[in-house]
């Protein structure tokens, strides 16, 4: 047995927030939306391509805030921070870890998202 990587991460939003989710993920974060398989379209939500992985946004009635989160590896972390601040998104600085700069945000539905960049020092 061998696990080779992560295919996708799923976050959830309330049923009535699909437009707001598209505005955030496709608009503000500028992620590329991809078509869900026809058999799954009836479930609602949306999918995005991020490098070789996917982010799936599902819909459900109960959304739980917590520490669970995806961490997106980025380039130009400061540029992303400035972009998010411009869109009135609150930045949470996280404890430093060796070799990386990082921060987290909450999407409009309370999902925690980490952005992380390898540091040069």
């Amino acid at each position: 047995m061998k696990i080779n990587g992560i295919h996708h991460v799923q976050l959830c939003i309330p049923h009535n927030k699909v437009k707001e989710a598209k505005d955030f993920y496709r608009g503000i974060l500028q992620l590329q939306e991809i078509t869900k398989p026809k058999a799954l379209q009836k479930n609602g939500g949306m999918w995005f391509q991020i490098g070789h992985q996917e982010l799936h946004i599902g819909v459900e009635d109960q959304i739980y805030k917590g520490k669970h989160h995806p961490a997106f590896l980025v380039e130009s972390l400061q540029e992303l921070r400035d972009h998010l601040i411009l869109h009135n998104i609150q930045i949470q600085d996280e404890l430093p870890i060796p070799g990386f700069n990082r921060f987290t945000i909450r999407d409009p539905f309370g999902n925690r998202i980490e952005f992380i960049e390898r540091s040069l020092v």
Side-chain angles (χ1 to χ4, degrees):
M1 183 177 118
K2 181 179 177 188
I3 297 174
N4 292 321
I6 294 175
H7 178 272
H8 72 271
V9 171
Q10 178 157 323
L11 299 175
C12 291
I13 63 168
H15 284 90
N16 60 345
K17 299 292 185 177
V18 172
K19 182 190 179 317
E20 191 175 344
K22 285 189 183 213
D23 290 346
F24 180 76
Y25 287 99
R26 194 170 57 192
I28 294 173
L29 294 186
Q30 301 174 2
L31 299 181
Q32 177 190 354
E33 188 171 1
I34 57 176
T35 304
K36 289 178 66 171
K38 202 168 207 62
L40 299 178
Q41 289 177 4
K42 68 182 184 307
N43 298 334
M46 65 215 72
W47 289 6
F48 296 94
Q49 189 72 47
I50 303 174
H52 296 292
Q53 293 80 40
E54 296 176 8
L55 173 65
H56 295 181
I57 306 295
V59 293
E60 64 183 17
D61 293 324
Q62 293 184 339
I63 307 299
Y64 302 98
K65 280 189 176 181
K67 292 176 78 173
H68 54 277
H69 65 280
F72 298 131
L73 185 62
V74 302
E75 295 178 17
S76 303
L77 188 67
Q78 184 60 51
E79 185 178 328
L80 176 59
R81 177 189 288 266
D82 295 342
H83 174 78
L84 294 171
I85 289 170
L86 200 80
H87 284 64
N88 298 313
I89 296 172
Q90 185 176 1
I91 305 295
Q92 173 66 49
D93 289 313
E94 297 295 335
L95 293 173
I97 56 175
F100 292 92
N101 297 314
R102 66 194 189 116
F103 64 83
T104 59
I105 65 168
R106 294 277 178 177
D107 74 4
F109 322 99
N111 292 304
R112 182 175 182 230
I113 301 172
E114 181 176 346
F115 297 101
I116 188 166
E117 176 181 50
R118 294 188 193 286
S119 63
L120 301 175
V121 186

